[in-house]
Amino acid sequence: MDSTVLCEGEHVPSSELLAPLTGPDATDSGHAVTVAGRTLTRAELVDRAGALAQRLTGAGSVAVHATATLETVVAVTGALLAGVPVVPLPPDSGPAERTHLLRDSGAELVLVDDAAQAPQDIAAGAVPVIGLADLPHRPDGAWSPAHADPATTALIVYTSGTTGAPKGAVLSRRAVAAGLDALFDAWGWTAQDTLVHGLPLFHVHGLVLGVLGALRAGSPLVHTGRPTPEAYAAAGGTLYFGVPTVWARITAEPAAAGQLRTARLLVSGSAALPVPVFERLAALTGHRAVERYGMTETMITLATRADGERRPGWVGLPVRSVQTRLVHEGRDVAPDGQTPGELWVRGPTLFDGYHARPAATAEVLDADGWMHTGDIAVTGPDGWHRIVGRASTDLISSGGYRIGAGEVEDALLAHPGVREAAVIGTPHPDLGEQVTAFVVADGVEEGALVEFVAHRLSVHKRPRVVRLVTSLPRNAMGKVVKTRLR
Ligand code: MCA
Ligand code: AMP
């Protein structure tokens, strides 16, 4: 199926994920990508990505140590132009998490900014490393991008479930293209926009929407390195992405917020945008933010439109080509704006399944192609959706990151002094929720446990609060009753 790319305001049908970079109409439109103050023109990006692609041709998949740098943009672009699936590695993940991602994905190479500075476990690991700094800036002789089948894998993005280690969501080139094209449609996103954000480059939000979206739309990208209010204010873009924590921090700095008045559209996602933040942002910037909802497995499925109504607290309508249902105990619930049900989504933007985990895939993706999201929503008679919560208390939403309680519990239980551990999300004024651990332990202090987890998992998965307790509340079956921990 061909999808639609917006190129300099025109509609050009293309199933090639990054067609605007290399297609017949590609021109060097000046500053294509800036990350943390360093810039590549579109031609420079294509040259550097091409030099890398020549090295990667034929690889099964490559991992990218996805720092917020130009090198990550080159690495991901080069792999996609070579038709090679990309496995983003969170750069702050501990060795245990990284080892799991490399083993589970079977990545054949690891791409890093600079091989001399690679983390010890990567440098000394079994998987060969390529440093982007060591590569030529131009392809050697004639080179052209692979014509990859749209059904092949673009990315394997690791994401947390309620239990166990992260699973790799397999996203096809077709799903990524369809997901991006739906956003171009919803937000009127064209090559005339300059996209600004400072989100991490190892998740769908920052990497797929925030980098591949800009490359596919043909719009310049300014990645601010970190998503600070000052950096957003200085970037002078038209289209801004942020998670609610980022928008809340911007509203705390009215002078910076005021600089966003010249933008066209502010977009919030990855977690619920609190209504007071929406209202303050509107007062300070003149923009009623567009909110959208999605998940790694589905891309963005619900959104308010640039040319439509904004309703604080609501995430809008299904994007183009996506269908939704709300289901409770096997039945569709009434679209009355108040009866909650689990949100199911279906459409061309969905993942192909979890890498090498058919049973886990079958738990969430049914035979009719519906993804059971685990998020609880209501819909109004007009089809608008509001996300009201999650089916499981074991998925924590902190700063826009989805964190599986089970993974943090497993990390704590690996400590020899820990006998029992239960992890929940508790309210946090800046991050939405914070990771809070209740631990039964012998002879070990709270701080040492946080450090212990820090060596194993990504920074954002560390407990912010550890409470040492003598026992955990359990029901008659011996299962921990997490609601009583709150
Ligand atoms: C963090 N720190 C900690 C802990 N956690 N210290 C002790 N204990 C902890 N548990 C450190 C950090 O390393 C940092 O140190 C400092 O504390 C401040 O951290 P924090 O307050 O968390 O602020 P931040 O580092 O500025 O992060 C806030 C953030 C971040 C920028 C909002 O959470 C973020 O980037 N969120 C985006 C998540 C995202 O992109 N999600 C997309 C997935 P130091 O200052 O020394 O570094 S969802 C998705 O993709 C779907 C499709 C969707 O819907 O979008
Ligand atoms: P992840 O898989 O890390 O991409 O996280 C996806 C999860 O983020 C979803 O299942 C939702 O729980 C949450 N999420 C994303 N966008 C929103 C939103 N606008 N409102 C509420 N929750 C959201």
Side-chain angles (χ1 to χ4, degrees):
M1 185 188 68
D2 264 358
S3 28
T4 303
V5 171
L6 301 183
C7 187
E8 308 292 339
E10 290 171 31
H11 292 260
V12 180
S14 178
S15 57
E16 282 287 332
L17 181 53
L18 298 181
L21 271 188
T22 56
D25 298 333
T27 52
D28 191 358
S29 68
H31 292 179
V33 181
T34 299
V35 184
R38 291 163 63 223
T39 295
L40 290 178
T41 66
R42 188 189 308 210
E44 288 167 340
L45 172 62
V46 172
D47 274 350
R48 290 191 53 179
L52 172 63
Q54 283 183 321
R55 296 278 302 269
L56 300 182
T57 304
S61 61
V62 295
V64 175
H65 186 246
T67 50
T69 57
L70 270 179
E71 283 71 16
T72 293
V73 176
V74 171
V76 173
T77 306
L80 291 175
L81 291 180
V84 174
V86 174
V87 183
L89 298 181
D92 68 347
S93 57
E97 184 174 341
R98 216 152 26 214
T99 302
H100 164 68
L101 266 52
L102 287 173
R103 278 212 192 114
D104 190 82
S105 66
E108 292 170 15
L109 291 164
V110 187
L111 307 181
V112 300
D113 296 358
D114 180 351
Q117 309 278 327
Q120 176 56 23
D121 57 296
I122 291 183
V127 186
V129 177
I130 294 182
L132 273 287
D134 300 326
L135 290 183
H137 286 190
R138 274 192 197 84
D140 183 12
W143 168 84
S144 57
H147 286 290
D149 181 339
T152 56
T153 302
L155 297 132
I156 305 177
V157 183
Y158 277 78
T159 185
S160 299
T162 51
T163 56
K167 299 183 285 282
V170 177
L171 292 167
S172 68
R173 299 172 81 96
R174 175 187 289 145
V176 171
L180 295 174
D181 292 348
L183 298 182
F184 301 162
D185 170 65
W187 301 335
W189 178 2
T190 71
Q192 312 308 315
D193 279 306
T194 295
L195 175 65
V196 177
H197 72 92
L199 297 167
L201 297 185
F202 47 89
H203 274 310
V204 164
H205 196 168
L207 180 62
V208 179
L209 277 50
V211 174
L212 303 184
L215 297 180
R216 183 165 173 82
S219 50
L221 166 66
V222 178
H223 187 286
T224 57
R226 287 182 66 88
T228 61
E230 297 72 21
Y232 274 40
T238 61
L239 177 60
Y240 283 76
F241 290 171
V243 296
T245 301
V246 168
W247 294 122
R249 290 178 184 183
I250 285 173
T251 60
E253 299 199 26
Q259 300 287 315
L260 302 184
R261 283 189 171 273
T262 54
R264 183 177 72 78
L265 202 65
L266 311 184
V267 182
S268 180
S270 300
L273 182 65
V275 173
V277 176
F278 176 99
E279 304 286 8
R280 270 204 307 279
L281 195 60
L284 290 168
T285 66
H287 292 288
R288 292 167 67 77
V290 157
E291 184 162 3
R292 95 299 181 284
Y293 159 89
M295 62 194 304
T296 306
E297 293 88 336
T298 65
M299 301 272 301
I300 304 309
T301 48
L302 295 165
T304 46
R305 295 183 59 88
D307 58 5
E309 187 194 347
R310 321 283 156 83
R311 210 179 286 171
W314 294 72
V315 292
L317 297 160
V319 298
R320 194 174 69 188
S321 73
V322 166
Q323 298 167 280
T324 63
R325 284 172 69 185
L326 291 192
V327 180
H328 181 62
E329 292 179 346
R331 290 169 174 236
D332 289 85
V333 305
D336 57 8
Q338 27 190 340
T339 311
E342 185 186 6
L343 175 64
W344 291 12
V345 298
R346 180 163 78 172
T349 67
L350 264 53
F351 74 149
D352 292 337
Y354 297 114
H355 179 67
R357 281 188 168 68
T361 305
E363 275 176 29
V364 294
L365 193 59
D366 71 24
D368 295 323
W370 291 100
M371 168 80 191
H372 302 199
T373 66
D375 288 305
I376 306 299
V378 299
T379 48
D382 53 5
W384 274 63
H385 291 62
R386 188 159 71 85
I387 308 295
V388 295
R390 273 213 168 94
S392 171
T393 51
D394 285 334
L395 284 176
I396 299 162
S397 174
S398 185
Y401 287 114
R402 155 175 148 193
I403 300 165
E407 189 185 1
V408 185
E409 287 160 3
D410 289 348
L412 286 163
L413 288 166
H415 190 287
V418 173
R419 284 191 278 136
E420 298 175 53
V423 169
I424 60 170
T426 54
H428 187 278
D430 182 41
L431 300 169
E433 289 185 315
Q434 65 182 347
V435 178
T436 301
F438 293 79
V439 179
V440 182
D442 302 312
V444 53
E445 291 188 345
E446 291 93 331
L449 287 176
V450 173
E451 270 311 292
F452 183 77
V453 176
H455 284 295
R456 309 180 76 81
L457 305 179
S458 301
V459 171
H460 60 269
K461 296 179 183 171
R462 274 188 273 175
R464 276 172 190 264
V465 178
V466 175
R467 294 205 193 291
L468 293 173
V469 292
T470 50
S471 65
L472 296 174
R474 291 182 184 271
N475 63 17
M477 312 292 293
K479 195 172 173 331
V480 176
V481 185
K482 291 203 170 175
T483 44
R484 284 190 34 213
L485 290 172
R486 285 164 197 269

